[in-house]
Amino acid sequence: GSIGISPVDLSSMNAEELVEKLRMTDIVMAASGSSLSISVLLLPNSGVVEVMPENYRSSLYQKMAGDFGLYYLAHTNFTGGAWEDGECAYTEEMEDIRELPKSCRENLEKGEVYVHPITLWMMLVDMSKSVSHNKYNV
């Protein structure tokens, strides 16, 4: 089988459309936070991939996935080192990232949920094998 990736703006859907879309979805991949709570609408043996920002630790969505019979995989970003030089240097003395220039803030925020394409491919291949085997073949 092949893997198809479809980014979807769930915020534009009403509740009925959201439920229907998630019933047809095998794997949800999202950054840590409330957006992962939609995984409770997935059918059993579907997959959840949580992308956690640097230094973030929580097992909430892992436990929730287990309770709903979902496969769970986490990816923690270690991207902080990419923004440590020049005008984009973020130091512990700063109160907030709003002290950085706007272009630096945008790049830092994007980096918090960035997954390298090869890493993304490896995670989704691994997850899709589990989902395909147990959701469709067992």
Side-chain angles (χ1 to χ4, degrees), residues 125-136:
V125 165
D126 182 45
M127 181 64 77
S128 68
K129 286 181 181 176
S130 295
V131 169
S132 176
H133 178 265
N134 293 307
K135 190 173 183 181
Y136 298 108

Side-chain angles (χ1 to χ4, degrees), residues 49-71:
V49 179
E50 179 179 13
V51 181
M52 295 185 273
E54 186 176 16
N55 297 321
Y56 178 84
R57 302 290 180 269
S58 174
S59 59
L60 173 66
Y61 296 106
Q62 181 179 12
K63 290 176 183 173
M64 188 171 71
D67 290 344
F68 286 93
L70 305 172
Y71 295 97

Side-chain angles (χ1 to χ4, degrees), residues 91-133:
T91 64
E92 292 180 19
E93 292 80 34
M94 291 182 174
E95 296 283 325
D96 195 306
I97 66 167
R98 288 178 285 191
E99 295 180 34
L100 292 171
K102 183 178 180 184
S103 63
C104 297
R105 283 195 318 267
E106 290 170 354
N107 286 334
L108 180 63
E109 289 165 355
K110 286 178 191 172
E112 287 295 324
V113 294
Y114 176 78
V115 179
H116 191 278
I118 292 174
T119 305
L120 173 64
W121 177 78
M122 289 170 34
M123 287 188 307
L124 291 179
V125 165
D126 182 45
M127 181 64 77
S128 68
K129 286 181 181 176
S130 295
V131 169
S132 176
H133 178 265

Side-chain angles (χ1 to χ4, degrees), residues 35-87:
S35 59
L36 274 173
S37 62
I38 63 166
S39 62
V40 301
L41 300 173
L42 293 169
L43 294 176
N45 296 315
S46 297
V48 178
V49 179
E50 179 179 13
V51 181
M52 295 185 273
E54 186 176 16
N55 297 321
Y56 178 84
R57 302 290 180 269
S58 174
S59 59
L60 173 66
Y61 296 106
Q62 181 179 12
K63 290 176 183 173
M64 188 171 71
D67 290 344
F68 286 93
L70 305 172
Y71 295 97
Y72 175 86
L73 184 65
H75 173 72
T76 303
N77 283 325
F78 296 101
T79 56
W83 315 106
E84 293 177 355
D85 55 313
E87 69 172 317

